[in-house]
Amino acid sequence: MSEPTHGSTKPGDSEPRNIGEELIRHGIIGGDDVNTALAKQFGMPVVSQITSFNLSKETYDKVPYSFVKRHVVIPFDMEEGRVVVAVADPLNLDPIQDLRYMLDMDIKAVYSPRDTILSAINECYNTETGAASKLIAEIAEKKPSEGGEEEEVEVYDLLDDRRDQPPVVKLLNLILTEAIQQRASDIHFEPYEGGLRVRYRIDGVLQTRHAPAPEYQGPLMTRIKVMSRMDIAERRLPQDGRIKLRMGRREIDFRVSTVPVAGGERIVLRILDKGNVMLGLTRMGMLAHDFNEFRRLIKMPEGIVLVTGPTGSGKTTTLYSAVSDLYNDEINIMTIEDPVEYNLKGIAQIGVQHKINLDFARGLRHILRQDPDVVMVGEIRDFETAEIAIQAALTGHLVLSTLHTNDAPSAITRLVDMGIEPYLLSSSIIGVLAQRLVRRICTQCRRTVEASADELTSIGLAQADLPDHCVYSGEGCEECFGTGYKGRHGVYELMTVNNDIRRQIVKSPDSLLLRQLALESGMTSLRHHGAELVKQGVTTIAEVMRVTRTVEAEG
C-alpha cells in the first residue's frame, strides 16, 4: 500500500499528513527544503526575506491578525493589480481563497519560510504607537455599560484586536503595547482626586502618558486584577500577581503589585521583557580595569561576590551576565530567585514560593545538597540567608548575590548589622560591585553645551579634562519623546577585598574607613566613572549627580 498523500491519515494519527510532512517525519529532508522544492515544482516564486510592506493600512484592517497568525500568511505587496501574499505551506490553498474574498482582489501566492512570515506578521501588525491616546479620546464621551463591569476574558496576545472585545480590554492592551514599544520598565496606574493617571518609567524616570476618564478607573483596575489572578473583591489589602502575555513572537511577563491608597487602588506593573534583555559582561560598560578585575573575581573557585545598589539599578542583569559568562558543561550553576525573571539555558533556576515556605534560606540550603560549583542568590535579605551563603563560600562554593546599599563598602556594614561576625566576612567576601544606571544622551538630538566650573568641579572635572572643551546634552526629539535621553549606561565601583581591607573589617567595619582604604587601593568611585562618561559624551553632569548624590563625597 502506498504512503498516504495530502489529506489522508495513518492509523493512530490525529491529523492528516501531506507527502512533505512524511518526508520530514522520516528525516529524508528538512522542512524548509521540502516546502521550497514543492513551491518551485508548482511554479510558485520563492521570497526569502520580507523587508517592506507596500499595502495600505485599510488593506490590513480587512485581514485580522488572528487569521494571518493561524494560517501563517501575510499580504505584503501589489503586482499588476494583484495582492502578493507570502505563504508557508505551498499545499494549503484555502487561506488564499479566504483572502481573495476578504480583499475582493486577485491574489498572487509566493512561498516564504515560516520564521520569515512570523517575523513579518509581528512587524506589520505591531504598529499601534499612540493608539492608547486615540482610544481614550474615542471613549471619553461614552459611559460604561449598564450593570457594572463587563465579564472579563483572559488575553494571551496583545496584538489580537478582535472587534468583540470590550473597550476597557482594548484600552489596557494598547497601554501595555505602547509601554513595551517605548522601552518602559514599569507602568503606574495612579488614582487621584480628579481621576486616574497612567505613567511609564522610561530609562529610570517616570513620564505621564495618559489620563483616562474617572468612570474607567474601576474597570481598568478590575481588568488588571483579573489578568493577574488577584481577588477582585479585596480592595483593602495589598496584593501581588503576575501576568504572562505575548506580543507576536515575544513573550513578556508582568509583575503586578496593588496597594490601597486614598482614592482607590494604586497598581504598578513591572515589565520583564525576555526578548529585550541584553546579557553579557562586555555589554555592561565597565571601565577596562574594573571589567578585568570583575571577571577575575567571578572565576575564583570560592568566595562571595556581591552586587549592590538601589531597586532598578540593574543588579539582576549584572548577575545574569556573570552567570552566563561562567556557564560551561564542566560546572554546575544553580540559582534561587524571587521570581525567576529570565530563563538561562543550561542553568537550574529555583523560584521563591512564599506560600509553601520556600524562601531564600530554605532554597539555598537545598541547593547546597545538589553539589553546585556556583550559586546565585537573588538577594540577601536576612541573617539566615547571609549565614548560609557565607558557609557555602567557606566550604568551596562561589556565591553571587545582591544587597541594597548605596556604595560598595557599605555592604560590609550592612551584613554586620544583620548579625554576621566581621571575621566571617573578612574570610568569605572577595569583592563588592556597586552600580547605578545613568541615561544616555539621545544620539539624534545631541548637541554641545558649555558647562560652568562649578558643575565640572561637582564631578571632579576641570575644563582642561574635556577633549573638546565642552560637554553634551540632548535637545529633545520624537526619537527620545522630548526627553533628550534614550537608553541607559551602567556606572560602577568595584571594591576588591584585599588584605588591608580584611584587617580593617575585623578591626572595625566602618564604611567610611573601608571606602578610604578601597580608594587608596585603586577603586574607581561611581562619580569618577560617571565623570568619564561625561567626558566621552555618553551622559550629562546632571545625570551623574542624580544617581550619585547619596554616595558620600570622596576623601
Side-chain angles (χ1 to χ4, degrees), residues 55-103:
L55 301 177
S56 65
K57 184 178 184 302
E58 289 73 19
T59 301
Y60 286 109
D61 287 342
K62 298 177 183 178
V63 184
Y65 168 77
S66 56
F67 176 85
V68 297
K69 182 73 178 293
R70 183 169 67 253
H71 295 291
V72 195
V73 299
I74 182 73
F76 66 95
D77 204 356
M78 288 289 295
E79 186 176 301
E80 299 177 354
R82 295 184 297 173
V83 178
V84 182
V85 177
V87 300
D89 184 357
L91 297 176
N92 186 10
L93 301 181
D94 291 339
I96 302 300
Q97 187 66 24
D98 293 339
L99 282 170
R100 186 174 286 112
Y101 290 125
M102 288 179 185
L103 301 176

Side-chain angles (χ1 to χ4, degrees), residues 23 47 90 161 164 252 259 289 311 319 328 407 454 457 495 504 512 532:
L23 292 173
V47 177
D161 58 350
D164 59 344
I252 301 157
V259 293
H289 173 269
T311 301
L319 285 185
N328 62 64
D407 60 1
D454 289 341
T457 302
M495 182 182 78
Q504 181 60 50
L512 293 178
E532 290 296 317

Side-chain angles (χ1 to χ4, degrees), residues 218-291:
L220 266 176
M221 298 306 196
T222 299
R223 175 63 182 165
I224 295 172
K225 292 171 75 173
V226 167
M227 292 174 68
S228 52
R229 300 184 182 277
M230 295 181 183
D231 182 357
I232 62 173
E234 181 56 74
R235 300 181 180 180
R236 300 167 299 172
L237 295 174
Q239 296 187 69
D240 293 309
R242 297 196 73 176
I243 303 173
K244 188 169 185 177
L245 300 176
R246 290 197 314 270
M247 193 168 82
R249 302 182 67 188
R250 293 164 65 183
E251 284 196 0
I252 301 157
D253 287 350
F254 296 81
R255 278 180 10 202
V256 186
S257 171
T258 73
V259 293
V261 297
E265 286 183 284
R266 191 179 192 277
I267 298 184
V268 175
L269 282 71
R270 180 78 182 274
I271 301 174
L272 305 174
D273 187 355
K274 298 180 180 181
N276 201 33
V277 66
M278 298 175 63
L279 300 180
L281 293 181
T282 56
R283 300 174 181 268
M284 290 172 55
M286 288 184 178
L287 296 174
H289 173 269
D290 289 343
F291 173 78

Side-chain angles (χ1 to χ4, degrees), residues 185-201:
S185 61
D186 303 86
I187 309 173
H188 292 239
F189 293 85
E190 304 169 345
Y192 64 99
E193 187 176 351
L196 180 69
R197 177 174 63 171
V198 180
R199 295 196 291 173
Y200 302 159
R201 186 178 293 279

Side-chain angles (χ1 to χ4, degrees), residues 335-357:
T335 76
I336 175 75
E337 308 167 54
D338 184 19
V340 175
E341 295 189 6
Y342 304 105
N343 294 322
L344 302 177
K345 184 179 179 181
I347 294 171
Q349 297 173 266
I350 301 172
V352 166
Q353 300 285 344
H354 295 289
K355 293 182 179 179
I356 57 173
N357 295 321

